[in-house]
């Protein structure tokens, strides 16, 4: 049986069909979680963001225009929720708590399959550095960078999601990469 | 071509740069740029190693269980009817009207004046360009500049304060913005737009202060810079003028499009 399109489900959901909205939640949750985790580096925060995104999306369904694509629209809402959360955390100065999940626990298969202990140590170190460099980014830099680097969104899409122009979007991405480079280059280039 | 800048290499990596073929052929022929680009690629590949915890296929169902209760409580989404405006609380209608009046006031005050005796910043082209088209380009440039400045100030204000604050990146950006800002301020003065010139002057002062500060600030020094930005309302003014410039730019674009059609 053919899967019902996002647009058709949105139409039904707008008419109050909660089952249609349930299908949308089930379809998009995993990818939204990945995005949210990359934004926050914290599983609990990421899960909260996914829920908040769907609640906001439900309330704003009437504003959704199908030409944008539901995935893009949900990403836009999630990016804004993340931006708000990161700014709140920054104000509270509690970003240090951001990395709480244990890589080894979450990736037993990958780690057990690692070929050599020294490589394992190196990869662990790189991951730690990446996480710590990501935490050094400002909320805007981090959001723009994640949307560009991991989600492959265009400068135009990111700017439109974050409510800034292409110049400012490029600048945020550029500064994010500069910071990542500053943090990671010594380690990455140390390996022949 | 000249050696591409770091920014161009980053945009090239993401496929967002203009003149992509030129950069590609430059990278083939220039070893130092190629080395720099390869180093950038290695860093960005390393970023991909950032792990994301897996979620099972049933995760979507779990999310639904958590949000469905709140969705049931919410009313079904409806389109906002024009007449519903009159059901809004009086204070919010009054607030909206006050905001409109404020925007109208500021718009009249800050709009660039059309003065045929003065020259805007844009260089004359050999092709005849209408005044409106030139105005649109100028507005776009100023709008971009104000947006960049606004973002730079927001980023600075939000910098991490773990004892010493490193503002070297913000400083290098502020130095670039100061020079451009000076040109726009002078242009605004020539156009007789005192309001715009005054905001740009405030902005310039702030940018110069950031540029001339030490790149490593103590938390007290940093708090002082932040306090001054807040006290002078620089950010707010830049935001207001920036929105006006953008609105005017859109209006000019519409007029130009209407003329062409």
């Amino acid at each position: 049986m053919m899967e019902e399109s996002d647009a058709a489900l949105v139409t039904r959901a707008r008419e109050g069909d909660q089952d249609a909205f349930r299908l949308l939640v089930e379809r998009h949750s995993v990818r939204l979680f990945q995005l949210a985790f990359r934004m926050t580096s914290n599983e609990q925060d990421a899960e909260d963001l996914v829920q908040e995104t769907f609640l906001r999306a439900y309330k704003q369904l009437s504003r959704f225009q199908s030409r944008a694509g539901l995935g893009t629209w949900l990403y836009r809402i999630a990016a804004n929720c993340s931006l708000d959360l990161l700014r709140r955390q920054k104000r509270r100065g509690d970003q240090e708590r951001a990395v709480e999940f244990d890589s080894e626990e979450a990736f037993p298969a990958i780690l057990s399959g690692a070929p050599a202990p020294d490589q394992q140590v190196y990869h662990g170190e790189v991951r730690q550095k990446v996480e710590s460099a990501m935490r050094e980014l400002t909320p805007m830099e981090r959001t723009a960078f994640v949307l560009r680097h991991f989600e492959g969104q265009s400068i135009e899409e990111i700017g439109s999601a974050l409510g800034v122009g292409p110049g400012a979007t490029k600048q945020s991405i550029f500064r994010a990469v500069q910071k990542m480079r500053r943090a990671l280059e010594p380690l990455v280039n140390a390996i022949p | 071509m000249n050696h591409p800048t770091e920014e161009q290499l980053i945009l090239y990596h993401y496929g967002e740069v203009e003149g992509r073929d030129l950069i590609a052929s430059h990278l083939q022929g220039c070893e130092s740029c190629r080395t720099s680009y390869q180093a950038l690629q290695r860093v960005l590949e390393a970023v991909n190693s950032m792990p994301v915890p897996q979620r099972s296929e049933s995760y979507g169902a779990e999310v639904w269980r958590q949000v469905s209760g709140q969705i049931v409580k919410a009313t079904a989404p409806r389109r906002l009817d024009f007449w519903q405006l009159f059901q809004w609380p009086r204070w919010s209608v009054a607030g909206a009207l006050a905001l409109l009046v404020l925007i109208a006031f500021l718009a009249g005050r800050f709009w660039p004046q059309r003065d045929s005796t003065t020259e805007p910043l844009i260089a004359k082209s050999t092709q005849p360009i209408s005044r409106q088209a030139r105005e649109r380009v100028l507005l776009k440039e100023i709008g971009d500049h104000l947006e960049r400045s606004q973002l730079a100030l927001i980023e600075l204000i939000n910098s991490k304060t773990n004892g010493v604050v490193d503002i070297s990146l913000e400083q290098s950006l502020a130095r670039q913005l100061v020079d451009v800002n000076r040109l726009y301020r002078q242009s605004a003065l020539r156009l007789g737009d005192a309001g715009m010139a005054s905001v740009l002057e405030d902005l310039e002062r702030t940018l110069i202060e950031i540029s001339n500060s030490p790149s490593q600030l103590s938390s007290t020094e940093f708090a002082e810079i932040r306090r001054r930005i807040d006290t002078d309302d620089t950010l707010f003014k830049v935001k207001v003028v920036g929105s006006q410039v953008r609105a005017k730019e859109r209006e000019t674009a519409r007029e130009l499009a209407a003329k062409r059609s």
Side-chain angles (χ1 to χ4, degrees):
Chain A
M1 190 182 142
M2 238 175 68
E3 202 177 48
E4 201 169 357
S5 72
D6 280 352
L9 289 172
V10 168
T11 308
R12 280 172 48 202
R14 273 178 178 162
E15 288 159 2
D17 183 344
Q18 284 176 14
D19 205 43
F21 195 70
R22 176 183 61 78
L23 290 171
L24 290 171
V25 170
E26 290 180 0
R27 191 175 289 175
H28 291 279
S29 284
V30 172
R31 282 207 66 196
L32 275 180
F33 173 79
Q34 288 168 349
L35 171 76
F37 182 81
R38 284 181 172 130
M39 297 279 194
T40 60
S41 299
N42 179 287
E43 274 189 274
Q44 188 55 55
D45 285 345
E47 290 190 344
D48 291 348
L49 277 180
V50 173
Q51 290 179 32
E52 195 183 337
T53 300
F54 282 118
L55 287 171
R56 278 199 204 181
Y58 187 77
K59 285 177 193 160
Q60 297 171 10
L61 262 186
S62 60
R63 289 192 218 161
F64 169 68
Q65 291 171 329
S66 54
R67 64 186 150 81
L70 186 77
T72 310
W73 186 64
L74 287 173
Y75 268 39
R76 179 183 288 203
I77 297 174
N80 279 295
C81 291
S82 303
L83 205 52
D84 291 347
L85 175 80
L86 291 171
R87 282 179 174 151
R88 281 200 303 274
Q89 286 182 343
K90 207 156 196 109
R91 274 200 293 276
R92 287 204 307 265
D94 65 352
Q95 259 206 318
E96 283 71 22
R97 74 182 188 89
V99 177
E100 281 167 0
F101 100 106
D102 181 345
S103 304
E104 204 161 335
E105 197 180 291
F107 301 97
I110 296 171
L111 291 181
S112 66
D118 58 340
Q119 278 195 8
Q120 199 170 310
V121 169
Y122 167 72
H123 288 306
E125 206 175 328
V126 169
R127 273 206 300 264
Q128 260 185 359
K129 277 271 181 195
V130 171
E131 286 166 1
S132 122
M134 290 285 278
R135 287 201 303 280
E136 290 303 315
L137 304 182
T138 64
M140 183 66 98
E141 288 164 359
R142 183 165 183 156
T143 310
F145 177 69
V146 167
L147 288 176
R148 175 63 254 187
H149 186 80
F150 293 103
E151 306 302 334
Q153 295 212 353
S154 69
I155 300 281
E156 202 186 337
E157 284 170 329
I158 299 167
S160 144
L162 302 178
V164 294
T169 309
K170 281 183 191 171
Q171 191 187 308
S172 293
I173 295 169
F174 172 57
R175 282 152 55 86
V177 175
Q178 249 187 341
K179 287 183 184 176
M180 301 300 286
R181 208 171 175 179
R182 198 191 280 174
L184 294 170
E185 211 159 57
L187 181 65
V188 172
N189 287 341
I191 298 295
Chain B
M1 74 173 287
N2 292 331
H3 296 292
T5 60
E6 188 184 11
E7 187 168 0
Q8 283 174 314
L9 286 181
I10 291 169
L11 294 174
Y12 174 77
H13 174 83
Y14 288 126
E16 298 268 9
V17 76
E18 281 172 27
R20 194 173 161 72
D21 294 343
L22 279 177
I23 293 181
S25 71
H26 180 88
L27 287 176
Q28 274 188 336
C30 176
E31 197 184 336
S32 75
C33 287
R34 196 166 54 245
T35 308
S36 168
Y37 181 59
Q38 284 164 350
L40 170 70
Q41 282 180 310
R42 276 198 294 277
V43 167
L44 292 173
E45 274 164 29
V47 172
N48 292 335
S49 70
M50 185 183 168
V52 177
Q54 299 301 307
R55 283 293 174 270
S56 66
E57 278 182 14
S58 63
Y59 176 62
E62 283 168 36
V63 174
W64 173 248
R65 266 197 300 279
Q66 280 148 353
V67 298
S68 57
Q70 293 173 69
I71 283 176
V72 171
K73 281 181 207 159
T75 52
R78 284 179 299 163
R79 284 182 189 282
L80 183 65
D81 191 281
F82 174 75
W83 297 106
Q84 280 179 270
L85 284 172
F86 297 100
Q87 292 164 20
W88 285 9
R90 275 186 196 172
W91 60 266
S92 63
V93 175
L97 287 173
L99 188 64
L100 280 174
V101 171
L102 177 68
I103 288 169
F105 168 74
L106 290 170
R109 197 165 162 227
F110 289 132
W111 267 176
Q113 302 297 306
R114 287 164 188 254
D115 180 350
S116 59
T117 61
T118 53
E119 279 299 314
L121 263 178
I122 304 155
K124 278 186 178 170
S125 154
T126 50
Q127 295 291 319
I129 301 175
S130 72
R131 178 169 184 84
Q132 224 171 7
R134 284 193 293 162
E135 186 182 273
R136 193 195 159 200
V137 176
L138 178 64
L139 286 168
K140 183 174 181 330
E141 292 296 320
I142 294 182
D144 285 350
H145 168 70
L146 290 171
E147 201 168 71
R148 277 195 291 272
S149 305
Q150 192 186 325
L151 192 70
L153 294 180
I154 291 173
E155 299 291 16
L156 178 73
I157 285 173
N158 287 322
S159 293
K160 276 193 100 172
T161 52
N162 286 341
V164 175
V165 187
D166 181 358
I167 61 161
S168 50
L169 280 174
E170 286 78 5
Q171 270 184 317
S172 78
L173 182 62
R175 283 184 199 117
Q176 291 166 27
L177 292 169
V178 166
D179 295 337
V180 181
N181 193 83
R182 191 170 297 127
L183 289 173
Y184 288 139
R185 180 174 56 76
Q186 287 162 354
S187 192
L189 279 173
R190 277 203 300 274
L191 284 161
D193 190 332
M196 170 76 85
S198 156
V199 172
L200 290 171
E201 193 178 345
D202 285 352
L203 175 60
E204 203 169 308
R205 205 178 306 119
T206 307
L207 292 171
I208 289 172
E209 192 185 336
I210 296 166
S211 307
N212 294 338
S213 301
S215 51
Q216 307 274 328
L217 296 177
S218 69
S219 50
T220 321
E221 289 167 327
F222 178 65
E224 178 58 21
I225 284 197
R226 200 145 63 170
R227 189 191 62 75
R228 254 176 273 162
I229 293 174
D230 281 346
T231 313
D232 297 346
D233 277 341
T234 313
L235 197 51
F236 174 72
K237 289 178 200 165
V238 170
K239 198 172 179 179
V240 170
V241 177
S243 318
Q244 290 165 6
V245 169
R246 287 288 187 222
K248 180 70 180 166
E249 184 203 333
R250 284 194 294 274
E251 186 190 313
T252 314
R254 272 197 301 274
E255 284 169 10
L256 276 169
K259 265 187 192 170
R260 279 192 205 112
S261 64

